[in-house]
Amino acid sequence: MSAGSNIKPQDVEGLIELFKASNWDEMHVQVGEFELFLSNDPKAVGPGKAVAAPAAPLAVSVAAPASAPATAPASIAHAPVTAAIPDGLVAIRAPNLGTFYRAPKPGAPPYVEVGQTISEDTEVCLIEVMKLFAPVAAGLRGVVREVLVKDGQMVEFDAPLILVEPAK
Amino acid sequence: MSISRVLSVNRGEIAARVVKAAQALGIEAVQAVSQADRESMAAQLADRTVVIGPAPSRLSYLDPKLLVHTALATGCDALHPGYGFLSERAALASLCAEHGITFIGPRPETIAALGDKLEAKALARAAGVPLVPGTDRIADAAAAQAAAETLGYPVLMKASAGGGGRGMFIARSAADLAAGFDKASNEAREAFGDGTMYMERYVENARHVEVQVFGDGKGHVLHFGERDCSIQRRYQKVFEESPCAAMPQALREELHRAALSLVASVKYQNAGTVEFLYDVNRQEIYFIEVNARIQVEHPVSEQVTGFDLIQLQFRVAGGEPLHYTQDQIPVRGHAIECRLNAEDPYQDFRPSPGRITRWQPPRGAGVRVDSHCYDGYLVPPFYDSMIGKLIVTAATRAECVERLQAALARTEIDGLTTNLPLLRHIAQQPDFIDNQLNTRWLETTGLPAFGAKQE
């Protein structure tokens, strides 16, 4: 049993009351797996997991192979991996729902590596929909800082895929 | 029930309805949404919601590959198409079949056959279902006059290659035919390169009636009564009711027999609707088309039969036998539905999307509201304007009309413009109360009276 499961609803209510009564701009509490981020800025995005942002696009593992969906149903549970976009970085986002691939084909080197300099038309990944593989262009110049999605994961429309530090 | 998880790929009220029906049967529901619908009621109700694409339908709800990919990637074993969008696209049903996903609807070949108007008419003729009386090609005005004597005036002359009203005219006498034939034939020749004309009986006083059917895919078919959907504007239904109170029982039985005979002949699977024109003056019915899907107005049939037709869709698709007999589906009472739209009836029905600041549908005995709206819901501008359906049920049509009037009076929607004033107006019209309606009533009588009231 993790420390996070010891947090009770009244504990969260207490923390919210504490925050309301304060003059703080933000509060970030982490206890084991439990994480609470409160902010007076409606546009604020919490650090780490987007606990308080259920509407954010989620990238979710494809647990069911496409060939046998009925026999191996994926868990319906979400696996939120959406990270906040750190200051100074820009996300390349999924143009539609599909399966994310880092390389043009299995075994091939990935389109881009962390640290690589890219330009607007650099192809950075593939999004596959029913065996149709569409390359995604970077759309900006800069340096790749992080790849947020694992190879073969399903991503939803607009999900952040790759973080780029834009060229000055 | 062999279905364990369904992907709901529609939006609006029907998506919410599908999610609830699935969950009531112990089926997990995944809702596919466009970016504009991520806060929608269906998304909130579903066990999981996935954003498949941006707001425009062609990049989200109208992309069969995207939908089937989503179903596979989320471990769904079935897909419910709702109505509209891809619900009658055989390509979606085939793609589901190829990938082992149960499409909750007819087989792809049935959708394709019934979707082709000529093939559907041929199937109807073969099943002994009456079509609008008409002729083959007519050579000249004299031949047209001879044919019209047999059919009876008025008649409708149509271009065989035609469409969009080109080369078409109504003739009420032999003189009309003599005066119009050559002109229409020339018009058709210029428009379509083919001046061939044919004739159909013109139904002056027509009602739109349709039969709700269900099939097990093996030839066992049942009906769930008929609906009268005569109040229409530009072929869009506004009010629908069940049963068709204006139809004598003998003709009603003939109507049901005709519908069942057609769907039995194609071993129809799942829910469908067979549409007819009811020629009130002649007391005859003519086949129009089959809608191979669940329809917007299915709730009135549910109200008078007591069946949940969406749950029945799941059961049949999941392989349960359709283990009822026709006499276990009696029609009791009367139900009327009207469609609430975010549109301005005073401004030529211009769509009026926006945020609903107050959503207060009526409640009470015999009142049902199927809607995806709530306080604060933003009606997006990208899709059709229907925001809900008000369905009232009572023992008789007269009581049902009174209940409808009262329910409409209690309906309060703020924040955007709706057609509620028009619905209230229609519900108060003597022609509506007395059931003196036909398919042209709203455009020729109901709307002009509404406009006059506005002054």
Side-chain angles (χ1 to χ4, degrees):
Chain A
M1 182 163 287
S2 70
S5 59
N6 293 330
I7 303 291
K8 297 179 184 65
Q10 46 268 47
D11 297 333
V12 177
E13 280 171 25
L15 288 168
I16 291 171
E17 289 307 318
L18 177 70
F19 179 70
K20 273 187 187 164
S22 75
N23 57 0
W24 307 333
D25 291 324
E26 286 183 355
M27 182 169 84
H28 182 202
V29 180
Q30 196 164 1
V31 184
E33 285 174 16
F34 171 82
E35 200 173 350
L36 178 70
F37 176 74
L38 298 170
S39 173
N40 286 317
D41 177 4
K43 292 197 194 88
V45 197
K49 292 174 187 172
V51 176
L58 304 175
V60 183
S61 306
V62 185
S67 53
T71 51
S75 162
I76 200 155
H78 296 213
V81 296
T82 305
I85 309 300
D87 280 352
L89 299 186
V90 172
I92 300 170
R93 292 173 179 272
N96 52 263
L97 178 144
T99 304
F100 173 89
Y101 291 103
R102 282 196 65 183
K105 55 184 139 185
Y111 280 103
V112 290
E113 297 283 7
V114 171
Q116 184 176 333
T117 300
I118 56 170
S119 60
E120 284 89 343
D121 51 4
T122 304
E123 290 179 353
V124 295
C125 63
L126 286 177
I127 298 290
E128 177 245 317
V129 176
M130 301 303 289
K131 310 291 174 220
L132 277 176
F133 295 83
V136 176
L140 81 168
R141 290 190 303 124
V143 177
V144 174
R145 287 301 175 207
E146 190 178 352
V147 179
L148 299 168
V149 187
K150 287 205 190 79
D151 213 39
Q153 273 191 345
M154 187 189 90
V155 291
E156 297 186 33
F157 167 72
D158 209 33
L161 306 173
I162 293 170
L163 293 182
V164 176
E165 183 181 342
K168 295 279 185 297
Chain B
M1 174 64 61
S2 66
I3 297 171
S4 60
R5 187 182 301 166
V6 67
L7 183 70
S8 164
V9 301
N10 213 287
R11 62 172 307 282
E13 67 86 21
I14 193 64
R17 173 99 177 82
V18 164
V19 167
K20 283 190 261 189
Q23 290 170 339
L25 293 169
I27 299 169
E28 290 176 330
V30 179
Q31 178 64 47
V33 296
S34 77
Q35 192 184 29
D37 285 332
R38 63 199 318 168
E39 310 290 333
S40 66
M41 173 89 72
Q44 294 176 28
L45 293 168
D47 297 282
R48 177 174 170 189
T49 298
V50 285
V51 182
I52 57 171
S57 306
R58 71 188 165 78
L59 300 174
S60 48
Y61 299 110
L62 288 177
D63 184 337
K65 289 197 168 87
L66 199 52
L67 301 181
V68 174
H69 186 97
T70 305
L72 292 168
T74 55
C76 290
D77 49 14
L79 180 149
H80 195 299
Y83 49 67
F85 290 130
L86 296 176
S87 58
E88 287 180 279
R89 209 70 70 76
L92 177 62
S94 313
L95 199 58
C96 284
E98 280 167 35
H99 293 274
I101 306 267
T102 300
F103 178 81
I104 301 177
R107 288 181 293 267
E109 58 271 25
T110 312
I111 297 175
L114 295 172
D116 177 320
K117 287 201 179 231
L118 289 178
E119 194 172 346
K121 285 196 172 173
L123 287 168
R125 194 176 289 115
V129 175
L131 301 170
V132 179
T135 66
D136 285 333
R137 70 154 38 214
I138 298 227
D140 53 31
Q145 286 167 341
E149 288 306 320
T150 316
L151 276 183
Y153 288 100
V155 294
L156 190 63
M157 292 299 312
K158 286 175 153 180
S160 164
R166 295 291 202 72
M168 194 163 95
F169 71 104
I170 297 166
R172 298 180 185 282
S173 65
D176 284 355
L177 282 174
F181 189 91
D182 289 344
K183 180 170 165 283
S185 181
N186 286 335
E187 195 177 297
R189 192 171 297 112
E190 276 174 32
F192 316 114
D194 179 358
T196 306
M197 302 289 290
Y198 72 102
M199 182 185 289
E200 268 183 8
R201 175 179 286 166
Y202 179 66
V203 181
E204 198 102 54
N205 187 14
R207 279 178 183 262
H208 175 111
V209 294
E210 56 187 35
V211 182
Q212 176 69 55
V213 295
F214 244 98
D216 69 354
K218 302 181 190 100
H220 179 41
V221 291
L222 296 166
H223 74 79
F224 292 75
E226 77 285 353
R227 297 184 286 257
D228 182 337
C229 316
S230 297
I231 301 186
Q232 304 182 356
R233 179 183 159 270
R234 294 189 184 165
Y235 302 105
Q236 290 294 308
K237 297 160 184 167
V238 184
F239 280 62
E240 301 104 342
E241 48 189 283
S242 183
C244 172
M247 184 174 272
Q249 184 59 23
L251 189 58
R252 174 177 296 122
E253 283 166 15
E254 189 187 323
L255 175 80
H256 296 163
R257 269 200 304 276
L260 291 182
S261 141
L262 172 54
V263 291
S265 76
V266 297
K267 293 192 166 57
Y268 194 88
Q269 174 183 288
N270 219 290
T273 296
V274 189
E275 297 193 332
F276 294 86
L277 207 60
Y278 169 22
D279 183 334
V280 178
N281 296 351
R282 286 193 175 85
Q283 288 296 304
E284 288 178 17
I285 50 165
Y286 314 124
F287 170 75
I288 304 173
E289 63 178 348
V290 179
N291 292 143
R293 54 172 159 83
I294 196 75
Q295 282 188 296
V296 174
E297 59 269 27
H298 75 273
V300 291
S301 303
E302 296 184 321
Q303 291 304 117
V304 297
T305 62
F307 280 79
D308 184 313
L309 296 177
I310 307 289
Q311 288 190 24
L312 195 57
Q313 283 197 292
F314 276 102
R315 289 182 186 283
V316 170
E320 281 189 24
L322 198 51
H323 52 71
Y324 306 98
T325 56
Q326 192 60 57
D327 54 11
Q328 289 175 305
I329 312 171
V331 169
R332 286 207 187 85
H334 197 90
I336 304 178
E337 172 183 282
C338 57
R339 302 188 188 189
L340 275 163
N341 296 330
E343 63 186 16
D344 188 347
Y346 297 111
Q347 300 288 333
D348 198 29
F349 296 88
R350 181 191 303 164
S352 54
R355 195 171 297 280
I356 295 175
T357 54
R358 183 152 176 254
W359 173 255
Q360 198 167 310
R363 290 167 218 276
V367 177
R368 164 178 170 183
V369 176
D370 282 17
S371 172
H372 55 296
C373 294
Y374 50 84
D375 283 333
Y377 174 67
L378 179 72
V379 177
F382 311 103
Y383 314 105
D384 81 63
S385 62
M386 194 172 77
I387 53 173
K389 310 184 296 202
L390 169 62
I391 306 116
V392 293
T393 311
T396 65
R397 187 177 187 278
E399 286 172 31
C400 198
V401 168
E402 284 178 17
R403 190 164 272 175
L404 177 68
Q405 293 166 340
L408 284 168
R410 294 199 308 278
T411 304
E412 292 182 49
I413 304 162
D414 293 339
L416 42 64
T417 306
T418 72
N419 66 341
L420 189 56
L422 175 64
L423 301 181
R424 287 175 177 154
H425 163 81
I426 293 170
Q428 298 289 346
Q429 292 304 294
D431 286 343
F432 175 70
I433 295 165
D434 300 336
N435 205 7
Q436 298 296 314
L437 303 166
N438 61 40
T439 50
R440 292 203 309 282
W441 177 83
L442 181 56
E443 286 177 358
T444 59
T445 309
L447 281 176
F450 178 67
K453 201 186 70 171
Q454 187 198 348
E455 300 302 318

